[in-house]
Amino acid sequence: MFNARLTALAAAALLAGCSMMPTYERPAAPVAVGWPAAAPTAGTPATELQWQAFFPDERLKQLVAIALQNNRDLRVAVLNIEQARGQYDIRRADRFPTVNAAAAGTRSPTASGVDVSLYTAGIAVSSWEIDLFGRVASLSEAALAQYLASEEGRKAVQMSLVANVANVWLSLVADDELLKLTQETLATRQESLRLTRLRFENGVASELDSRQAQSLYESARVSLAVQERQRALDRNALALLLGGPLPADFLVTATTDSISLPDVPAGVPSEVLVRRPDVRQAEQQLISANANIGAARAAFFPRITLTAGYGSASTDLSNLFTGGTWGLTAAPQLLLPIFDAGRNRAGLASAEAGRDIAVAQYEKAIQSAFREVADGLAARTTLVDQQQALRNVVEAESARLRLSQLRYDGGVSSYLELLDAQRTLFNARQLEIQTRLARLQNQVLLYRALGGGWETPSDQQQAVQLRTP
């Protein structure tokens, strides 16, 4: 009889692993099959180009390395991975029996009034669920997907951090250029104001010329204050990203004109977007929601648990392991839902709604990623044209200022014409620097949007290893 019971339990254990999970199918990407703007096709794909190779400046590389070491957002993302891995390990452990050492002693009176002692010791398996319909396996699969999603989330945080550090550093490069340009302009206008006032005092220039020169000088002072404030704000932003104060030897030596970043090929949307960590994170969350449906379905079917023990019992503690009675006990239990007031049905409905939500979130992640790349590609072409046009404007305004100075010195034109040429050239040079900055930052953002900074690891192989019991 006992052997027959063990045989039945063994057969149930062999049947364990039957899964009620729906077959997972990746939803179709709800985006266009191609990019709406022209995209580069040559070069190393962003997902295979490490950030150390993308950024040429050694000081920038040092800043990125510091941020990866100290940034608090990234630290939280790493800790989230550890927490998710712990939850997965808990769910995975539920698939195996828990074996405990057990010892007990009781003392009870008999009908004759004599106290009788009974001592037991051995090993015990308590309430191990034989996963006949895959409920425990589905919960383990869901926890695994959440763990993998947290890993992808860490990658997404790290990629954004690298891009943010680079863009703030580029802003500081432009800040220094603009500050230098403003200081030079302020010095020039201060000298021009001095000479104009001298000419006014000697009756050579009018008060209008003097006031115009003063206005231009004060405008340069305003620009200088704005640039100094912006540089201070950018330094503070960089310190936050680094997770601490800037290095003592921090110094910006590059210029926006000297920095060259590689263009990366955009590829095909359906292939590129699904390799982005944030999209893969959304997909893993979808896989987790799909697995929860399997657990909810399995709740409708019988649940078999086994409590077993092997040990010795004796009325004499000293003879427990020598003269005691050894034996094996097994107590299987089957629970079949009959009436639960709709609990299981509501659980399944909730799991299916959770899966539908995860599908929508995955599709939204795809669409958001598509827009980021499309915006980057659209800006890429227009910023190149804008930068070239502004370079031509600066050249033309430089020539105009030189000619206006000659005309004014020769008494051919008014001082207003000279001041207008100075003001226009200053604005054009500012816009040229800002446009070079915008182009460089757009290259960084496009690199991140295409999944740059990571050599794609064998995530599928890692998942297979984790799913192996």
Side-chain angles (χ1 to χ4, degrees):
M1 183 68 178
F2 183 74
N3 290 336
R5 184 182 298 174
L6 287 180
T7 302
L9 291 175
L14 289 175
L15 289 174
C18 174
S19 177
M20 309 295 291
M21 284 189 298
T23 301
Y24 173 74
E25 294 182 2
R26 175 182 289 171
V31 293
V33 296
W35 306 113
T41 57
T44 304
T47 52
E48 300 175 8
L49 186 62
Q50 293 290 334
W51 59 265
Q52 294 91 337
F54 183 78
F55 300 119
D57 191 271
E58 292 299 326
R59 290 183 178 270
L60 174 56
K61 294 179 184 179
Q62 294 174 3
L63 294 176
V64 172
I66 294 173
L68 295 179
Q69 184 75 21
N70 299 327
N71 183 266
R72 298 309 188 270
D73 289 336
L74 185 59
R75 187 174 299 177
V76 170
V78 172
L79 293 174
N80 285 337
I81 294 175
E82 295 182 10
Q83 184 180 48
R85 179 58 191 258
Q87 293 298 319
Y88 164 63
D89 288 341
I90 292 173
R91 286 299 185 185
R92 187 171 181 268
D94 289 341
R95 303 178 66 178
F96 303 93
T98 300
V99 181
N100 300 307
T106 60
R107 188 177 181 86
S108 58
T110 63
S112 61
V114 178
D115 290 340
V116 177
S117 299
L118 178 64
Y119 302 96
T120 60
I123 58 175
V125 174
S126 59
S127 299
W128 171 47
E129 181 175 346
I130 300 175
D131 198 22
L132 188 62
F133 297 100
R135 189 188 73 87
V136 178
S138 295
L139 293 175
S140 177
E141 184 74 12
L144 171 60
Q146 287 294 336
Y147 161 64
L148 296 177
S150 66
E151 171 63 27
E152 298 299 341
R154 181 193 64 81
K155 293 179 183 179
V157 171
Q158 178 168 332
M159 290 172 56
S160 295
L161 175 61
V162 170
N164 289 338
V165 170
N167 278 337
V168 173
W169 179 81
L170 288 171
S171 294
L172 282 170
V173 172
D175 289 340
D176 279 7
E177 284 188 78
L178 290 169
L179 190 59
K180 182 180 179 180
L181 171 63
T182 306
Q183 289 171 339
E184 293 174 351
T185 301
L186 181 61
T188 300
R189 291 181 179 179
Q190 185 176 20
E191 178 63 16
S192 178
L193 175 60
R194 187 187 68 82
L195 294 175
T196 304
R197 282 179 172 174
L198 185 60
R199 290 164 61 90
F200 170 65
E201 292 171 357
N202 293 323
V204 179
S206 66
E207 183 180 359
L208 178 61
D209 292 343
S210 177
R211 293 300 183 183
Q212 289 172 337
Q214 182 182 5
S215 176
L216 212 58
Y217 168 72
E218 297 298 342
S219 297
R221 288 186 60 196
V222 171
S223 296
L224 182 63
V226 170
Q227 295 303 327
E228 289 177 339
R229 180 172 64 251
Q230 186 60 50
R231 185 176 65 168
L233 295 177
D234 287 337
R235 288 175 67 92
N236 294 338
L238 183 58
L240 177 62
L241 292 172
L242 296 185
L246 300 182
D249 60 345
F250 175 75
L251 183 66
V252 176
T253 57
T255 63
T256 54
D257 200 33
S258 66
I259 299 173
S260 177
L261 300 176
D263 285 325
V264 290
V268 180
S270 60
E271 297 177 0
V272 172
L273 298 181
V274 295
R275 300 176 69 183
R276 278 183 38 149
D278 56 338
V279 174
R280 293 204 299 262
Q281 180 184 19
E283 184 175 16
Q284 289 297 334
Q285 291 169 341
L286 172 57
I287 293 173
S288 177
N290 190 71
N292 284 330
I293 294 178
R297 287 177 174 176
F300 287 89
F301 294 88
R303 184 181 303 180
I304 301 175
T305 59
L306 173 65
T307 299
Y310 178 76
S312 173
S314 174
T315 57
D316 186 358
L317 181 60
S318 61
N319 293 326
L320 180 60
F321 296 104
T322 57
T325 301
W326 292 84
L328 172 67
T329 61
Q333 183 182 42
L334 184 146
L335 296 175
L336 176 63
I338 296 177
F339 175 75
D340 62 1
R343 182 187 301 274
N344 288 339
R345 192 171 300 278
L348 178 59
S350 176
E352 289 176 341
R355 189 266 314 274
D356 294 340
I357 292 173
V359 169
Q361 291 173 334
Y362 172 75
E363 293 175 342
K364 178 64 178 299
I366 286 280
Q367 292 173 338
S368 298
F370 183 88
R371 180 189 174 180
E372 287 182 7
V373 178
D375 288 349
L377 292 174
R380 173 180 171 272
T381 302
T382 55
L383 285 170
V384 170
D385 294 341
Q386 183 178 345
Q387 181 178 332
Q388 181 58 52
L390 279 170
R391 184 178 292 113
N392 296 338
V393 169
V394 169
E395 293 177 357
E397 290 300 330
S398 297
R400 177 192 169 198
L401 176 59
R402 185 177 64 254
L403 294 174
S404 297
Q405 186 68 54
L406 292 175
R407 287 168 56 84
Y408 176 73
D409 293 342
V412 178
S413 63
S414 66
Y415 189 61
L416 179 61
E417 179 180 331
L418 177 61
L419 294 181
D420 182 66
Q422 291 176 350
R423 180 171 53 249
T424 305
L425 177 59
F426 176 59
N427 293 337
R429 292 180 67 184
Q430 283 184 313
L431 285 175
E432 183 185 20
I433 295 173
Q434 292 167 352
T435 302
R436 287 202 300 261
L437 170 63
R439 183 190 175 192
L440 291 171
Q441 290 181 331
N442 180 73
Q443 286 181 279
V444 173
L445 293 177
L446 185 58
Y447 170 68
R448 182 192 64 80
L450 291 170
W454 291 95
E455 289 182 358
T456 305
S458 182
D459 293 327
Q460 292 182 351
Q461 180 180 357
Q462 179 188 14
V464 169
Q465 293 174 350
L466 288 169
R467 287 184 172 92
T468 303

